[in-house]
């Protein structure tokens, strides 16, 4: 953020979609102090610096020790004995060039704190927390205290006597189209069916574009009541005019104020504890953390790992505190566990609490989202061994290694086991970077036998730098996996890590084959699409490997753990979130900016990508035309017509330019077609006063009556379209363009526009069903004649093939110099103007048209922390499903839900129970013998499982349905014969789906996994 308050949209791109420009500007004025640069402090500092505040000062008087290296990712072994803040300064400063970062190595005092708007204390005493919170509370400084001890964490917020929340959740204001409004007291507003019409009682709304009852357009925000799915009531409308048609109702978000108690008072108020299901445990931890401070003040140290006497002492102090607190149920086991593990410094715990704490800093700086009121406790005590008796004081003692902070919790033997792990990480983006950081600090795969394999096909872009913290500006253009691997080797030189640039899909199974997966201990998924997750999940089930998976959407995050033979798997994808816009809406009846943006994106793809691709296919494939004719008449006409136009020069009646001037002429004519002629045609078919068969207005509800535009070179959007469209059109034909609007305007003066008269015979479809019905109707003689005409023209020797190669354009949203977003924004907003839809700025248009997933570093860090806590459990081999957790977090309100994974579903085949983890494993070449025949396989299943195969399938191919002759062929020969393809050499296992005579109606059966080894 510059001093002038300008936001670097390229750098903050994805975060801007979470916070918005106004919140980011407010953050850009905030100075933040973060005290304590152990693992938790550096995690908070990293996230806050990435978020884009004005300045961050890190404070620490202490020197680095071995236990710090278990979670402080910017300290190295060479920094032992040196000041933690000083050693961290350079790398923290490099995270964000827009944030001033400085270090303070002296003690905290009043003069220092008064320089900041937000103060964060970590690794601090309770007396310091009380003293400095009292100062901050009295001076209007937002105060946050965060702490972690072993597997437990604590977070406290005090934002003063009066803190204004400007936006409670950051969600887009609800908006809907109006169907009708009653003239009554109270007036009832009825809405059209719309996915986004989500209003609630007490919300305030404004009205616009209402015809008839125009009084609604001028009243201020009005409170709504009696909300239903598609209606609500407002005040008295009985004196208003009669409602006629149209109108949009939009929620107006209302700011509100919160009052916070100072820490001394909040300590005594258990009603301020925000729990996530473990109510009794977290009320106990509230006392236990206070007791821990008392213990340290008396003993000058933390409790020793697994010391029974220290645990007894801590429990006694908790008992004294409870004499005042009067909790009806104390979780004594949790107090002992806190005592046993308090010396631990764990990267995953610090990542989670650090992500949450940094989000609270953002709330304090911006007024965006609802702050924590006021305590939050977290524990992951389920990570401890299911048999804790194996842990003793001796095996937990410090060894003078970088893992001492982790060994203090889990012991040396577990640390060695972590080092031997072989894990596959898919994705090196935001979550992938955070996971790799945690892996390095944990020592996962860092032993002699260990290995981390990471794959990501993407290359680093500038918009990645704001949340993928392993990357710097000098890395732009490099492979993500390579740079990430190098970065974590610098964090922990013992890391054994191999970087790949492969997409994980069936095409890469030659690399990630049976041997690769069978050599793994587990898989971590950091993917950004459901299809890839489902595919990876299937591979893990196939090879019986555990999977930890996490995802984010802005300030929302979730984690999933899949444990072989214990839990259900991630997939397949059964979500019903498909919200595809109906084609007739896009084509003729848009009513939201999302519709015009999708229309513009479709225009881009059709004009500048698909048509050039079709031309190039036509040039190199003699069968292209015949295959196109097989698509159906309507689609074939569109493809072949576009093909011929792109091949034939303009003077011959085509659309192929030979000069830059031709490109400008094409763009101007296209403008006229899209924004004037097409609209005039639509209004000719359905005039503004059109009524339906039921006598109701045709243009009502979600059907907005459009109006044609008149081109004016003095209107910026009009010229924006011509400049972008002409340049893109030139690019696909290899013609250089220009941005010089003066010269383009001179060219426009010479453009001849063809005359246009609406056609009375043209049919415009009102529904997608009508469109599909016409596509299926191939009996139109006129269409068939037109197709024959195109076929003849394309076979003509007059086409100059030497000049016809074209250059398709792949849409790239993040390059502001390539005209792509220029075209999308102009094309969409012009169409929005046609239909009186409010325009969208470039930032909003890029998110919608580019299908950008909003992202912020805080959520990413928290999700990666939770994933690694599940990884602890997997490595230990936990077998109780109650030990594992899946999580959902919603950070705008610090709402976090943990639940137990679902058990693997049982199904029966011939009276015997199975789960998805079961299979029938068959060695196709036992002991090096000749491969078994299909008959041998049928007999083997009968002998081994007492099941009779009556059908056998490989994918969609039916290998066997009683054909006797196939029983004598080898299984692989049958597969090759039926699929008409060879089995790839890397394919060591065939997954065959059987049907059994004993239970033919069974919908789910275990697969036969047929080994070709």
């Amino acid at each position: 953020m510059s001093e002038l308050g300008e936001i670097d949209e390229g750098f903050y791109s994805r975060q801007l979609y979470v916070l918005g420009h106004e919140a980011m500007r407010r953050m850009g004025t905030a100075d933040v102090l973060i005290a304590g640069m152990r693992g938790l402090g550096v995690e908070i500092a990293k996230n806050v610096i990435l978020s884009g505040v004005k300045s961050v000062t890190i404070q620490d008087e202490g020197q680095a020790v071995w236990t710090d290296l278990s979670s402080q990712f910017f300290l190295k072994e060479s920094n032992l004995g040196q000041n933690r803040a000083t050693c961290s300064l350079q790398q923290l400063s490099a995270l964000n060039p827009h944030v001033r970062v400085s270090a303070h190595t002296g003690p905290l005092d009043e003069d220092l704190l008064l320089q900041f708007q937000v103060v964060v204390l970590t690794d601090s005493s309770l007396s310091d927390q009380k003293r400095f919170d009292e100062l901050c509370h009295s001076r209007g400084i937002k105060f946050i205290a965060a702490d972690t001890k072993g597997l437990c964490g604590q977070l406290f917020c005090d934002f003063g006597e009066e803190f204004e929340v400007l936006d409670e959740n950051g969600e887009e204001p609800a908006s809907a189209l109006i169907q009708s409004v009653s003239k009554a007291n109270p007036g009832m507003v009825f809405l059209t069916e719309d996915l986004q019409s989500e209003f609630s009682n007490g919300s305030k709304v404004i009205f616009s574009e209402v015809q008839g009852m125009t009084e609604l357009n001028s009243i201020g925000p009005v409170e709504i009541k009696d909300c239903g799915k598609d209606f609500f009531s407002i005040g008295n409308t009985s004196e208003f005019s009669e409602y006629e048609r149209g109108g949009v109702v939009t929620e107006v978000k209302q700011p509100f104020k919160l009052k916070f108690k100072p820490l001394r008072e909040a300590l005594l108020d258990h009603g301020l504890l925000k729990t996530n299901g473990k109510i009794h445990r977290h009320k106990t931890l509230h006392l236990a953390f206070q007791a821990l401070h008392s213990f340290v003040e008396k003993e000058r140290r933390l409790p020793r790992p697994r010391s029974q006497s220290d645990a007894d002492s801590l429990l006694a102090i908790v008992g004294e505190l409870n004499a005042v607190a009067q909790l009806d149920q104390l979780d004594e086991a949790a107090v002992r566990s806190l005592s046993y593990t308090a010396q631990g410094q764990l990267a995953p715990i610090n990542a989670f609490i650090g992500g949450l704490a940094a989000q609270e800093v953002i709330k304090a700086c911006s007024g965006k989202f609802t702050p924590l009121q006021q305590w939050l406790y977290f524990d992951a005590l389920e990570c401890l061994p299911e048999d804790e008796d194996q842990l003793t004081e001796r095996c937990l003692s410090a060894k003078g290694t970088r893992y001492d902070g982790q060994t203090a919790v889990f012991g040396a033997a577990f640390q060695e086991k972590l080092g031997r792990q072989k894990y596959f990480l898919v994705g090196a983006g935001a979550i992938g970077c955070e996971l790799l950081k945690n892996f390095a600090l944990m020592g996962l795969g860092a032993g002699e036998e260990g290995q981390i394999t990471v794959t990501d096909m993407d290359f680093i872009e500038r918009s990645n730098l704001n949340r993928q913290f392993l990357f710097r500006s000098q890395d732009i253009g490099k492979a993500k996996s390579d740079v990430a691997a190098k970065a974590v080797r610098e964090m922990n030189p013992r890391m054994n890590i191999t970087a790949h640039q492969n997409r994980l899909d069936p095409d890469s199974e030659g690399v990630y084959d049976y041997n690769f997966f069978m050599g793994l201990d587990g898989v971590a998924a950091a993917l950004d699409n459901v299809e890839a997750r489902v595919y990876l999940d299937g591979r893990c089930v196939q090879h019986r490997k555990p999977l930890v998976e996490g995802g984010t959407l802005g300030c929302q995050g979730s984690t999933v753990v899949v444990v072989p033979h214990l839990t259900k798997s991630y997939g397949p994808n059964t979500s019903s979130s498909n919200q595809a816009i109906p084609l007739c809406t896009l084509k003729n009846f848009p009513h939201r900016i999302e519709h015009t943006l999708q229309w513009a994106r479709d225009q881009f793809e059709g004009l500048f990508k698909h048509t050039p691709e079709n031309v190039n296919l036509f040039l190199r494939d003699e069968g292209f035309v015949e295959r196109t004719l097989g698509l159906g008449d309507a689609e074939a006409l569109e493809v072949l017509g576009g093909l011929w136009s792109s091949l034939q020069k303009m003077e011959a009646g085509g659309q192929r330019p030979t000069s830059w001037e031709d490109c400008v002429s094409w763009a101007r004519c296209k403008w006229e077609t899209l924004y004037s002629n097409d609209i005039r045609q639509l209004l000719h078919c359905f005039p503004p006063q059109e009524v339906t068969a039921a006598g109701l207005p045709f243009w009502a509800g979600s059907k907005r009556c459009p109006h044609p535009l008149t081109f004016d070179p003095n209107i910026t959007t009009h010229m924006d379209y011509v400049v972008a469209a002409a340049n893109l059109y030139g690019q696909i034909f290899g013609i250089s363009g220009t941005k010089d609007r003066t010269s383009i305007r001179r060219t426009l003066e010479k453009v001849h526009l063809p005359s246009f008269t609406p056609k009375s015979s043209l049919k415009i479809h009102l529904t997608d069903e009508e469109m599909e019905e016409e596509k299926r109707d191939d009996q139109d003689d006129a269409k068939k004649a037109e197709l024959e005409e195109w076929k003849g023209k394309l076979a003509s020797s007059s086409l100059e093939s030497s000049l016809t190669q074209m250059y398709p354009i792949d849409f790239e949203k993040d390059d502001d110099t390539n005209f792509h977003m220029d075209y999308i924004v102009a094309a969409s907003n012009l169409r929005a103007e046609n239909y009186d839809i409010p325009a969208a700025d470039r930032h909003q248009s890029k998110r919608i048209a580019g299908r950008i997933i909003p992202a912020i570093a805080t959520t990413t860090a928290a999700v990666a922390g939770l994933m690694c806590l599940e990884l602890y459990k997997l490595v230990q081999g936990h077998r109780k499903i109650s030990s594992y957790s899946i999580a959902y977090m919603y950070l705008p309100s610090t709402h976090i839900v943990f639940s137990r994974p679902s058990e693997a579903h049982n199904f029966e085949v011939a009276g015997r129970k199975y789960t998805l983890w079961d299979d029938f494993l068959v060695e196709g070449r036992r002991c090096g013998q000749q491969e078994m025949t299909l008959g041998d396989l049928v007999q083997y299943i009968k002998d081994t499982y007492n099941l009779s195969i009556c059908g056998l399938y490989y994918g969609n191919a039916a290998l066997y349905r009683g054909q006797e002759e196939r029983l004598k062929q080898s299984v692989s020969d049958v597969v090759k014969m039926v699929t008409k393809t060879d089995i790839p050499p890397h394919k060591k296992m065939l997954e065959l789906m059987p049907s059994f005579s004993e239970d033919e109606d069974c919908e789910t059966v275990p697969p036969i996994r047929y080994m070709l080894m």
Side-chain angles (χ1 to χ4, degrees):
M1 196 98 55
S2 73
E3 293 296 322
L4 297 175
E6 294 180 1
I7 298 172
D8 184 343
E9 291 193 357
F11 183 83
Y12 292 114
S13 168
R14 304 311 187 255
Q15 181 178 287
L16 272 167
Y17 295 118
V18 180
L19 299 177
H21 286 75
E22 289 305 313
M24 286 287 297
R25 289 191 184 96
R26 289 190 290 270
M27 286 171 56
T29 65
D31 299 304
V32 180
L33 172 67
I34 301 173
M37 277 297 109
R38 286 198 160 109
L40 178 58
V42 78
E43 182 69 49
I44 298 171
K46 177 254 293 179
N47 295 330
V48 172
I49 291 166
L50 287 172
S51 75
V53 295
K54 180 182 178 183
S55 76
V56 171
T57 298
I58 54 173
Q59 183 274 343
D60 200 318
E61 296 179 80
Q63 284 72 47
V65 295
W66 278 115
T67 52
D68 294 329
L69 299 189
S70 294
S71 62
Q72 219 285 22
F73 44 87
F74 284 154
L75 292 180
K76 301 179 179 179
E77 292 182 20
S78 58
N79 298 135
L80 293 171
Q82 301 174 29
N83 180 271
R84 286 186 289 255
T86 304
C87 293
S88 305
L89 179 62
Q90 182 180 352
Q91 294 191 75
L92 284 170
S93 299
L95 290 172
N96 189 339
H98 303 292
V99 178
R100 186 173 70 252
V101 185
S102 58
H104 181 81
T105 58
L108 295 175
D109 57 37
E110 180 174 334
D111 291 338
L112 178 66
L113 266 64
L114 292 177
Q115 300 174 36
F116 301 94
Q117 286 78 54
V118 183
V119 170
V120 183
L121 298 192
T122 70
D123 193 34
S124 56
S125 67
L126 184 58
S127 59
D128 277 352
Q129 291 175 19
K130 291 177 180 178
R131 179 162 61 100
F132 291 125
D133 172 68
E134 193 170 306
L135 170 69
C136 291
H137 191 93
S138 66
R139 297 298 187 93
I141 299 168
K142 287 77 177 175
F143 177 86
I144 297 171
D147 200 4
T148 59
K149 293 290 185 285
L151 286 162
C152 300
Q154 173 196 56
L155 185 59
F156 171 77
C157 293
D158 172 11
F159 291 178
E161 289 292 316
E162 189 175 83
F163 178 79
E164 186 173 38
V165 178
L166 300 172
D167 183 344
E168 67 174 336
N169 56 22
E171 302 292 335
E172 287 290 322
S175 178
L177 297 174
I178 297 170
Q179 184 70 45
S180 65
V181 184
S182 70
K183 191 175 175 181
N185 185 14
M188 296 299 298
V189 179
F190 296 92
L191 310 174
T192 62
E193 292 185 10
D194 196 280
L195 294 171
Q196 298 186 33
S197 56
E198 298 173 356
F199 296 92
S200 56
N201 287 321
S203 297
K204 291 195 174 181
V205 299
I206 57 172
F207 295 86
S208 60
E209 303 178 41
V210 176
Q211 297 180 37
M213 196 180 283
T214 54
E215 295 90 343
L216 288 175
N217 298 328
S218 56
I219 63 174
V222 58
E223 184 175 336
I224 64 174
K225 300 177 181 178
D226 307 315
C227 275
K229 180 181 178 183
D230 54 2
F231 64 86
F232 54 76
S233 69
I234 54 176
N236 187 357
T237 61
S238 60
E239 300 299 319
F240 289 178
S241 307
E242 288 288 344
Y243 173 84
E244 292 179 6
R245 70 168 76 182
V248 178
V249 58
T250 305
E251 177 189 18
V252 178
K253 293 207 166 186
Q254 300 294 306
F256 59 94
K257 292 180 180 178
L258 295 174
K259 181 177 180 179
F260 290 77
K261 289 186 177 182
L263 190 144
R264 287 182 190 275
E265 294 180 27
L267 278 170
L268 304 174
D269 190 345
H270 287 247
L272 296 176
L273 265 67
K274 192 175 185 80
T275 61
N276 47 49
K278 302 176 180 178
I279 298 174
H280 297 299
R281 178 176 293 181
H282 291 171
K283 284 185 176 181
T284 300
L285 285 178
H286 184 61
L287 300 182
F289 266 83
Q290 295 175 58
L292 202 55
H293 286 291
S294 299
F295 184 99
V296 171
E297 190 174 353
K298 178 182 177 183
E299 303 292 338
R300 318 307 299 171
R301 62 173 175 82
L302 286 165
R304 290 183 295 265
R306 289 288 150 179
S307 167
Q308 296 296 331
S309 59
D310 284 354
D312 290 341
S313 298
L314 188 68
L315 193 56
I317 300 172
V318 170
E320 294 170 9
L321 291 171
N322 195 40
V324 177
Q326 295 290 303
L327 296 185
D328 54 3
Q329 186 175 331
L330 269 181
D331 189 338
E332 295 188 3
V335 177
R336 289 191 176 277
S337 293
L338 176 64
S339 178
Y340 293 156
T341 62
Q343 288 193 18
Q345 281 290 310
L346 301 177
I349 294 288
N350 285 331
F352 178 68
I353 296 296
L356 268 57
Q359 187 71 41
E360 297 305 310
V361 174
I362 290 171
K363 295 175 185 178
C365 296
S366 68
K368 186 100 173 186
F369 309 133
T370 306
L372 169 67
Q373 283 198 291
Q374 290 182 254
W375 293 101
L376 179 140
Y377 287 89
F378 171 75
D379 78 273
L381 296 176
E382 297 85 2
C383 291
L384 291 168
E386 291 178 334
D387 177 13
E388 291 188 44
D389 293 341
Q390 60 187 275
L391 297 178
T392 63
E393 281 191 66
R394 183 175 180 182
C395 76
L396 299 170
S397 61
K399 299 284 195 297
T401 76
R402 64 178 303 116
Y403 307 120
D404 277 357
Q406 190 165 255
T407 303
V409 176
F410 297 112
F414 178 67
Q415 188 59 55
E416 291 176 8
K417 188 174 183 181
L418 276 171
R420 293 193 298 270
Q421 295 296 295
K422 295 178 177 64
Y423 257 74
F424 184 29
L425 171 60
V426 186
I431 294 177
C433 283
E434 294 288 342
L435 287 173
L436 285 171
K437 173 256 292 181
N438 293 342
F439 290 176
L441 295 169
M442 295 161 62
L444 185 77
E448 288 186 10
E449 301 172 34
Q451 178 68 42
I452 302 295
T453 303
V454 56
T455 188
D456 194 309
M457 63 177 290
D458 288 340
F459 294 84
I460 297 166
E461 300 173 356
R462 190 161 182 268
S463 63
N464 300 146
L465 305 182
N466 171 240
R467 65 203 183 283
Q468 300 176 19
F469 88 106
L470 298 181
F471 308 146
R472 304 290 178 266
S473 56
Q474 63 266 27
D475 299 322
I476 293 172
K478 299 176 183 176
K480 286 185 178 182
S481 57
D482 284 341
V483 176
K486 180 182 177 183
V488 295
R489 281 193 208 99
E490 291 177 2
M491 286 183 185
N492 183 350
R494 297 172 181 81
M495 285 294 287
N496 303 310
I497 183 166
T498 302
H500 295 170
Q501 287 82 50
N502 301 315
R503 182 196 296 272
L504 194 79
D505 60 15
D507 291 339
S508 63
E509 290 184 9
V511 179
Y512 309 118
D513 59 7
Y514 174 83
N515 290 333
F516 174 83
F517 268 91
M518 293 309 293
L520 296 174
D521 292 294
V523 176
L527 293 158
D528 61 2
N529 68 88
V530 172
E531 292 76 15
R533 290 172 181 153
V534 170
Y535 172 78
L536 178 58
D537 173 71
R539 300 278 281 155
C540 289
V541 170
Q542 192 176 58
H543 298 91
R544 295 173 177 166
K545 299 298 174 185
L547 170 71
V548 284
E549 190 275 332
T552 68
L553 177 63
C555 289
Q556 299 178 69
S558 62
T559 64
V560 173
V561 60
V562 177
V563 189
H565 305 291
L566 195 63
T567 72
K568 72 174 188 179
S569 69
Y570 176 88
N573 179 23
T574 57
S575 68
S576 57
S577 60
N578 183 12
Q579 299 179 1
I581 303 167
L583 291 176
C584 65
T585 299
L586 291 177
K587 193 171 177 62
N588 296 309
F589 307 115
H591 54 271
R592 288 189 172 277
I593 198 66
E594 289 85 354
H595 302 160
T596 66
L597 281 163
Q598 183 60 55
W599 176 87
R601 179 70 188 271
D602 291 346
Q603 288 284 320
F604 182 100
E605 298 291 336
L607 293 170
F608 309 124
K609 185 174 191 291
H610 297 154
T611 296
E613 286 177 341
N614 288 337
V615 167
N616 294 343
L617 279 170
F618 169 75
L619 292 175
R620 65 173 181 261
D621 184 352
E622 292 182 356
F624 177 77
V625 172
E626 290 301 326
R627 280 204 317 280
T628 302
L629 292 171
L631 298 175
D633 291 355
E635 189 171 348
L637 274 173
E638 185 177 344
V639 172
L640 298 184
L643 185 61
W644 183 85
S645 294
S646 298
L647 292 169
Q648 195 73 299
K649 292 179 181 178
M650 288 184 171
E651 57 263 32
Q655 296 290 325
R656 183 178 183 81
T658 56
S659 66
W660 166 242
E661 288 72 20
D662 286 347
C663 296
V664 174
S665 177
W666 174 87
R668 174 64 185 88
C669 291
K670 197 70 179 173
W671 191 102
E672 195 70 17
T673 298
L674 295 174
Y675 305 112
S676 180
N677 298 346
D678 286 354
I679 301 301
R680 288 165 61 194
Q681 177 67 62
L682 181 60
L683 291 173
H684 179 76
C685 294
F686 303 107
Q689 302 307 318
E690 180 85 356
V691 295
T692 66
L696 299 173
F698 176 85
W699 295 106
S702 61
K703 288 189 175 70
R704 301 172 75 97
C705 185
H707 63 274
L709 305 182
T710 301
F711 184 79
D712 184 347
N714 295 312
I715 297 177
T716 302
T717 314
H718 293 202
M719 283 297 289
D720 286 347
Y721 179 89
V722 171
V723 172
N727 275 279
L728 291 167
Y729 203 61
Q731 287 175 26
I732 63 176
F733 289 101
I735 296 172
S736 298
T738 180
K739 293 181 179 180
D740 183 355
R741 298 197 173 209
T742 303
S743 68
I744 292 173
R745 287 181 69 147
R746 285 198 297 267
T747 303
L748 285 173
E749 292 171 2
K750 305 171 189 175
V751 173
H752 170 71
L753 293 175
S755 61
F756 173 77
T757 303
K759 299 176 183 176
S760 298
S761 60
L762 186 70
K763 181 180 180 182
I764 291 179
H765 302 109
L766 300 181
T767 66
D768 284 8
E769 290 72 19
E770 287 183 13
M771 295 175 70
E772 287 300 317
E773 188 176 334
E774 182 172 295
K775 282 184 180 179
R776 290 192 295 268
D777 181 12
D778 286 344
Q779 306 306 312
D780 191 324
D781 292 337
K783 284 184 181 179
K784 293 193 180 299
E786 195 175 350
L787 279 173
E788 286 301 317
E789 182 182 349
W790 285 128
K791 187 176 176 182
K793 286 181 176 181
L794 290 168
S796 170
S797 60
S798 64
L799 291 176
E800 300 177 46
S801 59
S802 60
L803 301 174
T804 51
Q805 181 70 27
M806 291 182 69
Y807 306 93
I809 298 174
D810 288 316
F811 178 68
E812 172 48 61
K813 59 188 174 292
D814 287 319
D815 182 352
D816 287 335
T817 66
N818 63 9
F819 298 104
H820 298 192
M821 280 309 304
D822 296 339
Y823 177 86
I824 295 292
V825 174
S828 170
N829 284 340
L830 287 167
R831 188 159 175 84
E833 187 180 349
N834 279 139
Y835 286 86
D836 294 314
I837 298 169
D841 61 20
R842 187 183 186 91
H843 181 68
Q844 184 186 6
S845 298
K846 182 186 285 190
R847 176 182 64 83
I848 298 169
R851 303 174 185 122
I852 290 174
I853 299 173
I856 190 167
T858 50
T859 319
T860 303
V863 162
L866 293 180
M867 290 173 69
C868 288
L869 291 175
E870 297 308 303
L871 197 147
Y872 278 145
K873 303 169 188 176
L874 290 171
V875 174
Q876 293 198 74
H878 282 4
R879 294 311 306 162
K880 296 177 183 175
I881 199 167
S882 58
S883 297
Y884 292 95
S885 292
I886 59 176
Y888 168 76
M889 67 181 75
Y890 184 73
L891 296 190
S893 58
T894 326
H895 178 66
I896 305 156
V897 177
F898 295 95
S899 58
R900 181 185 300 181
S902 298
E903 292 185 26
H905 174 67
N906 284 299
F907 56 89
E908 282 193 18
V909 179
R912 184 176 174 183
K913 289 186 177 180
Y914 299 89
T915 74
L916 75 135
W917 298 104
D918 293 311
D919 61 16
F920 302 122
L921 190 64
V922 180
E923 294 181 30
R925 297 189 180 98
R926 281 174 290 175
C927 304
Q929 297 176 1
Q930 186 176 3
E931 185 190 348
M932 65 169 52
T933 64
L934 182 57
D936 294 336
L937 173 61
V938 171
Q939 190 61 47
Y940 178 85
I941 295 297
K942 178 65 176 176
D943 293 343
T944 309
Y945 302 102
N946 197 29
L947 292 168
S948 306
I949 295 176
C950 60
L952 193 62
Y953 304 86
Y954 179 63
N956 293 325
L959 302 183
Y960 174 68
R961 283 185 296 197
Q963 299 97 325
E964 292 289 332
E965 68 277 6
R966 293 184 183 180
L967 296 174
K968 297 178 181 179
Q969 295 176 266
S970 69
V971 173
S972 58
D973 282 344
V974 174
V975 170
K976 286 186 279 188
M977 177 188 71
V978 174
T979 62
K980 297 182 173 60
T981 55
D982 289 333
I983 298 171
H986 66 263
K987 200 84 170 175
K988 303 295 192 297
M989 178 173 65
L990 301 178
E991 188 163 285
L992 312 176
M993 297 306 298
S995 178
F996 299 112
S997 301
E998 290 81 1
D999 204 341
E1000 284 192 65
D1001 295 330
C1002 187
E1003 293 183 1
T1004 306
V1005 295
I1008 295 173
R1009 295 204 165 108
Y1010 181 80
M1011 308 304 301
L1012 292 171
M1013 301 169 66

